Each structure stands twice: as C-alpha cells, then as structure tokens.
Amino acid sequence: MIPRTLFDADLEGFRDSVRKFLEQEAAPYHEQWEKDGQVSRELWTKAGELGFLCATMPEEYGGVGADFRYSAVIHEEISRAGLSGIGWGLHSDIVAPYILHYGSEAQKQHYLPKLASGEMIGAIAMTEPGAGSDLQGVKTNAIKNGEHYVLNGSKTFITNGQLADVVIVVAKTDPKEGAKGTSLFIVESAWAGFEKGQNLNKVGMKAQDTSELFFQDVKIPETHLLGSNEGQGFFQLMQELPAERLQVALTAVAAAEAAWEWTLAYVKDRKAFGKPVAAFQNTRFKMAEMKADITAARVFVDRCLELHLEKKLDVTTAAMLKQWTTDLQCKVMDECVQLHGGYGYMWEYPIARAWADSRVQRIYAGTNEIMKEIVARSF
C-alpha cells in the first residue's frame, strides 16, 4: 500500500494516544450520548488536559503549538471509531482559528485559553432557515448603537449548539449590501436575548448536539467585532473555508477506511450457501473496487493536507476535495451496508451508524452542488 509520508513516528505515537483515549473515555459512552443527544462536558475537559483541543494554537494562548497534522490525526481517529458526536473539530480547527487569525489581542487572550482547556465550547453560526449554503443571503443583522451592536435573527443546524458557550455569529452590519455588508462577531451564549432552541433530531450523528439559535436584541460590545472594521466577514469566511473542507475530507476518508475494514471482517466470517460471503466473485470485486477508490482518496487528501501545511490549499482545490471524498464516502457506506445484508441495516452494527452519519457530509461545509459551482467558476 502507498505509505503516508507526512506522518512520522512522533505523529503515529500521538495517534496511539488519541486512539487509546477515545477507546477508554468515549467509545463506552457513545451509545448513551446518542440517547442524550450530546456528549458529556467532562469529555471536553479531559481532552483539554491532554492537549487534544486546539492543538495548533500557539502556547501563549493555551495550545501546544502543533502543526495541522496533529489535528488531522484527531479528526481521523474520531471518524475511524465512529464517534460522530464529538464536535472537537469545529471547536478546535474552525472556531478557534477565526479568533486567532482575525481577533484582537484581548480577544485571543480571553477566549483561546478557555477553548484550549475545554472550559468554553465553541460553535459558529452561519446557516439560516432561509439561506442554507448561500452566505450572502444571511438575514441576521447587527446594527451599531453607540458602543454596542444590537443583534437580531436566527440560525439553524448549528453544531455544538446546545453545549456552546461562545459562538462566532455571521451577521449583516449593513443589510443593504451583500457580501460587503457581512461581519463576524464573538457572542457569548449567556448574554441576554440569546436563546438556544431545541436539540434537533437528526437522521444520523445523533450524539452531536445540533441546534437552532435565536437572537433578540442581543447587545454585543463593539469590542466583540471580529476584525478591525465592519464588512470583513465574507472575506474572513472565504479564507477559512478551505481548511474546513479539508477537515470534512479527512473524516470522510477515515470513515470509508473503517467501513471497508469492518466489511472485510464481516464477509470473511459470514456464510451464505455454505461458504463465506468473501468467496463470491461479486464480493471480492466490490471490495477491490472500494479499496482502489479509498486509496486514491487517501492520496488526494494527503496531498491537500500537505498544501494546507504550506498555506497553498486554494478554494477550488478544497471544493473538489470535499465534493469527491464525501461522494465516495456515501458510495462506500452504501456498498458496505449491502454486503452486510440485513444486518447492515441494524443500528447495533457500526456500519449502520456510519451509513446514517455519512449522508450529511455532502450537505454541510457547503453542499456538494455548491462545491461543483465553485470549481466550474474556475474554468
């Protein structure tokens, strides 16, 4: 098989540590978290103590100053184990970088150490009921009033929504403008007028808290604007989205690899017509096809990870990566369910959960139709 040259012995040692932590502290409880609709806060604080949160943050802000390969390991191990309720990826590698890259020194000093320790849990509120992937169509507004902004509007499908203490909110500071009127704000969930709606009942990722958020005359201090001036929000979003889409791709391929391994073990053990299912040509060919596709996806992901480390991963390449790997993930999950037969449709089998969890990957971080549009615009 093609070796992963980006991951040296130190990183593989780190991978072992993450895997053991998840096996001990998450896997035994994930079924209960699915019933609860969220993971325990205790898991977050334990992860913070071990440096598994905000690993790429500089040490002066509470992180360990690691490069993104360490984050990639964490994303892959969570996905490989089917622990879809754990929202560390969004917290550590989407929310925290917005503050690191665009926040004031006071914002960084106040929020980043608390995110790194797990004292605070982060979310980002982009999607709205009527806008979906169209970030220029955001209706939530934040109007300047003296030394405050007054925030009104609503968001939906917000990952970490129930547990979040701090939320990056996308809002219009000039509703008459499109992209140029968009700004980002750091908003705390304890502020008056901020309400969390119900924990949404999803098809998959049942342990991942996903919520509606409502803002009614929320007073935001002007110091909580992210960036030096209003109207920078859309640019900030576009700069950070490639990293988010790389993260989705990392989890997609890791999940596909795990599903392939589970299925291989199953078809070798399961018998039909007096012989193992793996002995049938159709099974062997399906497994071979998936192995080739997953290997190609792994090489594509690792090359994009390398580009990201070099700060060269562009919007178009990230869009291609996200679209292709998540389409493949769903294809692999469907094939693996089929090879499991009726048992593949039973919730007690990991492949059933993985199949249900996979479908949303083609929707969030920009739908795959939007990804194709981004690529088409580059022609």
Side-chain angles (χ1 to χ4, degrees):
M1 293 300 157
I2 298 173
R4 302 187 70 188
T5 56
L6 279 172
F7 295 85
D8 57 20
D10 288 343
L11 275 155
E12 292 305 329
F14 179 70
R15 187 185 297 278
D16 288 341
S17 297
V18 173
R19 186 173 294 185
K20 289 175 183 176
F21 176 84
L22 294 173
E23 288 173 350
Q24 295 171 5
E25 302 292 342
Y29 312 106
H30 202 263
E31 185 175 354
Q32 182 59 48
W33 293 339
E34 288 179 337
K35 296 174 183 176
D36 297 341
Q38 63 185 47
V39 305
S40 70
R41 291 193 73 106
E42 184 181 10
L43 182 75
W44 289 80
T45 54
K46 286 181 178 179
E49 290 171 2
L50 293 173
F52 295 160
L53 300 179
C54 304
T56 62
M57 290 300 106
E59 292 183 28
E60 61 263 37
Y61 300 127
V64 295
D67 65 53
F68 190 76
R69 292 176 302 167
Y70 286 82
S71 289
V73 165
I74 294 169
H75 301 324
E76 288 177 353
E77 289 306 305
I78 290 172
S79 186
R80 183 197 66 81
L83 302 171
S84 59
I86 301 174
W88 297 347
L90 181 134
H91 168 96
S92 298
D93 295 304
I94 298 175
V95 175
Y98 274 103
I99 298 173
L100 178 67
H101 297 156
Y102 307 112
S104 66
E105 186 60 29
Q107 290 170 345
K108 295 175 189 178
Q109 292 286 353
H110 181 73
Y111 288 108
L112 292 179
K114 293 178 181 178
L115 292 171
S117 69
E119 179 184 345
M120 297 187 91
I121 295 174
I124 184 163
M126 297 186 198
T127 306
E128 295 186 2
S133 295
D134 180 13
L135 294 178
Q136 295 190 53
V138 165
K139 300 297 182 186
T140 297
N141 61 78
I143 306 303
K144 189 74 177 292
N145 185 5
E147 296 182 350
H148 290 79
Y149 289 88
V150 180
L151 178 67
N152 283 283
S154 64
K155 302 288 183 178
T156 194
F157 309 138
I158 306 306
T159 300
N160 294 345
Q162 290 291 309
L163 290 174
D165 305 292
V166 58
V167 182
I168 306 295
V169 178
V170 181
K172 287 289 182 64
T173 42
D174 187 349
K176 297 176 185 177
E177 295 286 342
K180 294 179 181 178
T182 305
S183 300
L184 306 186
F185 293 90
I186 303 174
V187 181
E188 296 188 22
S189 61
W191 291 351
F194 186 139
E195 293 187 12
K196 297 175 180 178
Q198 62 179 328
N199 195 8
L200 300 173
N201 187 17
K202 306 181 297 300
V203 170
M205 302 188 78
K206 292 183 177 292
Q208 171 57 253
D209 60 305
T210 308
S211 307
E212 300 170 302
L213 303 180
F214 302 98
F215 312 104
Q216 184 172 358
D217 296 329
V218 179
K219 287 187 176 181
I220 307 175
E222 61 182 358
T223 55
H224 281 245
L225 174 69
L226 202 56
S228 56
N229 296 295
E230 293 179 8
Q232 298 179 338
F234 200 77
F235 169 79
Q236 294 164 345
L237 290 166
M238 293 304 102
Q239 291 295 111
E240 298 301 316
L241 280 171
E244 180 178 355
R245 289 162 184 163
L246 171 60
Q247 182 184 141
V248 171
L250 284 161
T251 62
V253 178
E257 288 175 333
W260 190 90
E261 293 288 347
W262 301 332
T263 304
L264 180 64
Y266 181 84
V267 297
K268 284 183 174 181
D269 181 67
R270 179 71 173 172
K271 288 183 170 57
F273 303 102
K275 58 183 179 180
V277 174
F280 292 95
Q281 185 184 68
N282 179 71
T283 303
R284 298 198 308 274
F285 281 15
K286 289 292 184 183
M287 295 300 294
E289 289 169 3
M290 287 190 287
K291 187 64 173 179
D293 287 344
I294 293 167
T295 300
R298 168 59 64 209
V299 174
F300 189 10
V301 166
D302 281 359
R303 177 56 182 144
C304 287
L305 173 57
E306 188 175 43
L307 289 171
H308 180 63
L309 292 168
E310 298 169 356
K311 302 187 186 304
K312 294 178 181 178
L313 181 61
D314 60 69
V315 171
T316 302
T317 304
M320 288 191 289
L321 179 72
K322 191 267 182 183
Q323 176 261 311
W324 191 73
T325 55
T326 56
D327 279 351
L328 176 63
Q329 178 187 7
C330 288
K331 175 185 173 183
V332 167
M333 295 304 168
D334 196 63
E335 293 281 16
C336 289
V337 166
Q338 191 71 20
L339 289 170
H340 275 76
Y343 291 102
Y345 204 62
M346 297 297 106
W347 196 250
E348 65 193 84
Y349 277 71
I351 191 60
R353 286 176 159 91
W355 175 72
D357 291 343
S358 67
R359 187 58 183 85
V360 75
Q361 292 263 82
R362 292 162 59 190
I363 297 172
Y364 57 30
T367 65
N368 281 9
E369 290 71 26
I370 295 293
M371 298 303 98
K372 293 172 186 177
E373 184 63 29
I374 290 170
V375 175
R377 289 174 184 173
S378 70
F379 297 164

